[in-house]
Amino acid sequence: MPLAHVFGPVASGRLGRSLGLDLLGGRVCSMDCLYCEVGATDVHTCERAPYAPAPVLLDELTRWRDAEAATRGATPDGDTPSAFVDHVTLGGSGEPCLNSDLARIIAGCRDILPGVPVAVLTNSTLLHRDDVRADLAGADVVLPSLDSLVESEFRALNRPCKGVTARGVADGLLGFARGFGGRIYLEVLLARGINDTAENLALLRDYVRELAPHRVDVTTLSRPGASPRALPVGRDVLARWSDELNTAAGCPQTTPAGHHPTAAVPDDGPCRAAAATDADTPVPIITDTGNLQEAVLRSITRRPQTAPQLARALGAPPDAVRRALDELTARGACAPVAETALPRDTDGEIFHAGRAPRNG
């Protein structure tokens, strides 16, 4: 049975080799961000529900683990599939904290892949809620985003549900951080001409002094977004913002990496990724053509990627990944990303995205 919610691993600039779990099963979100790589939001809501129920997700994760063990076999050191990923990352095509089974999913991930840190991506809109804070308490890492404290910029870039404000999101994140025992990696995504203003930088600089995250990842678009209005900023802007915000937060200095999240020093906490967050770390190779095509399709359905990115994340030869993409394209299961502001990465590689198969 194909996996509908487990995808990757994906090569992540922040989390190394990240195995993704889609907690929504669709584009369900409390925001409709211009830069979102999965496209426009279909269900715009702040209401929690078991969009992807815990038993379904955890059954898939168990099947993924067993299939990986059978396909790759044990390494010379006797490693299990837990050794092939740096984090299990709860995210998907929207806001994962909208899933009311979040706590059960986090606990299940720990049971199925012991020793693998659990990370949760969030747009921070629900962090004012006691139930969400309690659910997130079991995570190792929470990666909240806050792109602007200027209300007009926040509305223009993030397009939140009615009643959600930048100040409210910021206050909710502060309250959550005070009671959370894990690590917090704040992300600020900059879109040229929208939130890259001096006013926003000044407000965020004061804010991170109070929040004191473990690091601040200043990013920009590295893949095509939902709107052509969302354009990347330059390396010089990323470097300046990163230096100023990390200095204000008291974090180690970071270095921009193209249009990817700034590259932080390894974590000094209990996460396994402290020893290896580099997605280029060798893993057993996937050689079965059918398994590779399925893994590629699951990954690019959630996140447009290039052939080299897929090869690094999946532990497969680049030529085999390109052949898999060619076969998937011929079947109508994927296609090169349409010409937008970011049709290619900095090396000229084309992004591919999964799509529904043709009828007939």
Side-chain angles (χ1 to χ4, degrees):
M1 183 183 300
L3 301 178
H5 299 282
V6 178
F7 61 98
V10 170
S12 167
R14 293 178 288 175
L15 296 172
R17 189 172 291 103
S18 167
L19 181 67
L21 267 67
D22 181 352
L23 271 63
L24 286 311
R27 294 182 292 198
V28 182
C29 197
S30 51
M31 290 183 172
D32 187 17
C33 299
L34 295 181
Y35 57 75
C36 186
E37 64 192 27
V38 301
T41 297
D42 292 323
V43 180
H44 204 203
T45 184
C46 285
E47 295 298 319
R48 301 188 80 196
Y51 294 98
V56 174
L57 281 173
L58 298 177
D59 174 70
E60 283 198 18
L61 185 58
T62 300
R63 288 193 283 119
W64 176 88
R65 179 200 62 192
D66 295 345
E68 287 294 297
T71 300
R72 299 179 186 270
T75 68
D77 296 326
D79 288 335
T80 68
S82 296
F84 305 155
V85 294
D86 296 316
H87 286 82
V88 176
T89 305
L90 310 188
S93 303
E95 170 50 45
C97 291
L98 287 170
N99 191 320
S100 55
D101 279 354
L102 180 61
R104 294 176 61 194
I105 294 167
I106 292 174
C109 289
R110 294 192 179 286
D111 290 340
I112 296 166
L113 293 176
V116 179
V118 178
V120 182
L121 306 175
T122 177
N123 63 22
S124 309
T125 54
L126 301 180
L127 295 183
H128 64 286
R129 295 179 51 153
D130 290 340
D131 58 337
V132 173
R133 293 180 183 183
D135 288 354
L136 284 172
D140 295 287
V141 186
V142 172
L143 297 94
S145 63
L146 181 60
D147 299 326
S148 182
L149 284 170
V150 180
E151 293 291 350
S152 59
E153 296 176 5
F154 176 75
R155 290 193 302 271
L157 182 63
N158 299 123
R159 299 188 293 188
C161 285
K162 184 178 181 181
V164 176
T165 65
R167 189 67 256 173
V169 170
D171 289 344
L173 176 52
L174 280 173
F176 167 74
R178 293 188 187 105
F180 181 58
R183 302 180 72 77
I184 293 179
Y185 300 155
L186 178 67
E187 181 182 13
V188 178
L189 187 143
L190 299 178
R192 189 194 319 161
I194 300 178
N195 67 325
D196 56 344
T197 62
E199 180 183 7
N200 188 29
L201 177 57
L203 291 172
L204 284 171
R205 193 166 49 224
D206 291 340
Y207 178 74
V208 297
R209 288 193 183 100
E210 185 176 4
L211 180 66
H214 291 86
R215 74 174 193 239
V216 182
D217 293 319
V218 182
T219 73
T220 192
L221 283 83
S222 61
R223 295 172 178 82
S227 169
R229 289 184 288 153
L231 300 172
V233 300
R235 289 179 60 89
D236 57 335
V237 176
L238 283 181
R240 180 165 57 85
W241 278 63
S242 178
D243 287 345
E244 293 201 27
L245 293 182
N246 278 284
T247 297
C251 302
Q253 291 300 299
T254 58
T255 304
H259 285 159
H260 297 281
T262 52
V265 298
D267 305 335
D268 58 2
C271 295
R272 275 190 343 105
T277 55
D278 188 350
D280 291 328
T281 303
V283 296
I285 297 297
I286 297 178
T287 56
D288 181 84
T289 300
N291 288 339
L292 179 58
Q293 286 188 21
E294 182 182 344
V296 166
L297 184 58
R298 286 202 310 269
S299 193
I300 62 176
T301 297
R302 270 84 180 186
R303 182 179 188 182
Q305 291 165 82
T306 66
Q309 289 171 344
L310 288 160
R312 288 195 302 271
L314 297 174
D319 288 346
V321 171
R322 294 185 191 280
R323 287 194 296 272
L325 287 168
D326 289 344
E327 289 292 329
L328 290 168
T329 300
R331 286 166 38 197
C334 84
V337 171
E339 293 293 319
T340 65
L342 286 168
R344 299 172 184 266
D345 71 2
T346 53
D347 295 322
E349 291 282 348
I350 296 173
F351 288 98
H352 289 77
R355 67 182 186 185
R358 292 189 294 261
N359 293 327

